[in-house]
Structure formats: C-alpha cells, structure tokens
Amino acid sequence: MKKLLMICLMALVGLTANAQKFALMDMEYVLKHIPAYERANEQLNQVSKKWQAEVEALNTEASTMYKNYQNEVVFLSKEQKKAKQDQIMQKEKAAADLKKKYFGPEGELFKKRESLMTPIQDEIYAAVKEISELRGYSLVLDRASDTAIIFGSPRIDISTEILQKLGYE
C-alpha cells in the first residue's frame, strides 16, 4: 500500500513538473538595448575615474613624502624622524580611508550604482513578471548569468519581448 501511494505521488509530481512552462531571457542583451543603462554606466565610470584620481593623488603624496624622508633620514633627529613617519602614515591612512569611502562594500560607488541601476532593474523585473503572468511561465531564467544553461531554444527566449514591453526596439 505504501509503495503504491509512493508511486502515485511520484507520478503526480512528474506530471506537475511537465505542466510547468519555462522561459529564458538574456539580461545582458536587454540591458545593452536600454539607453538609460548605458547612460548610467557612463556616469558611474566618470565618477569612478574622478574618485580613483583623488585616491591616487593621496597615494602619490604619501610616496613622495616617504622618498623625501629616505633622503633626509640621516640628517634628522629621533623626534624629527618620528614626526615624519607619523605624517607619512597619516597620509597613507587618509588614502586608504578615502578608497574605502568611495569603493568599499558600502561605499559611495556602491550607493551610486544602486541608485542608478535599481529603477532600471525594477522596470525590467515588472516587464518579466507581466509577460510571465500573461503567458503562464512558472520560471524565467537569465541565460547571461546562469552558466548551468548549456542550450536554450530561441523559441523560449523572451528577451526581445521584454524590450518591446519596455518600449525599446
């Protein structure tokens, strides 16, 4: 009796799995065709370069201070050596702190990227959700980010439909 019940349950699960509909999308393709994404990326690159230049300037100052210190070390008293070393360490710390402020896990670049990209991602998600509900998809996979997808039929790729839903192409 238990075996029969188990076989019926497995058959039911198998039939249910076959009834589900799946679709693929290519997030990279979709994002490439959204002008706002390209503008956001360009804005992020400009800000990143500016901030990187600031960090590099502090690092260069610290490096110059250290080279000058090495040239003068034989002429300095113990107190002067200590003072110069402290100045160099403060400059290096300032550079490290600035780098962390801009590029750290919760830094300014992360916040800027989130503020620029979240609205675009939300818009794409809403389009995917609407298409999925309309067509009855149980699952939509991103072929750009999932390396486990070896082959996906173009018939189930809804990337172009997503762009059309968003008003592009």
Side-chain angles (χ1 to χ4, degrees), residues 17 24-26 28 30 41 53 62 66 71 80 99-100 113 122 126 128 155 158-159 167-168:
L24 291 177
M25 69 172 285
D26 187 338
E28 288 177 11
V30 171
N41 255 345
Y66 181 71
N71 291 335
Q80 290 173 323
K99 184 175 182 177
K100 183 179 177 185
R113 178 177 285 119
D122 290 347
V128 169
R155 290 181 287 134
I158 61 170
S159 301
Y168 302 104

Side-chain angles (χ1 to χ4, degrees), residues 57-72:
L58 282 178
N59 279 327
T60 301
E61 283 182 47
S63 179
T64 302
M65 288 171 69
Y66 181 71
K67 286 177 187 171
N68 290 341
Y69 168 76
Q70 285 181 319
N71 291 335
E72 301 169 351

Side-chain angles (χ1 to χ4, degrees), residues 123 126-128 130-131 134 160-168:
E123 190 178 5
V128 169
E130 191 175 327
I131 292 168
L134 182 70
T160 304
E161 189 176 350
I162 293 168
L163 285 169
Q164 290 169 348
K165 182 63 107 182
L166 294 170
Y168 302 104

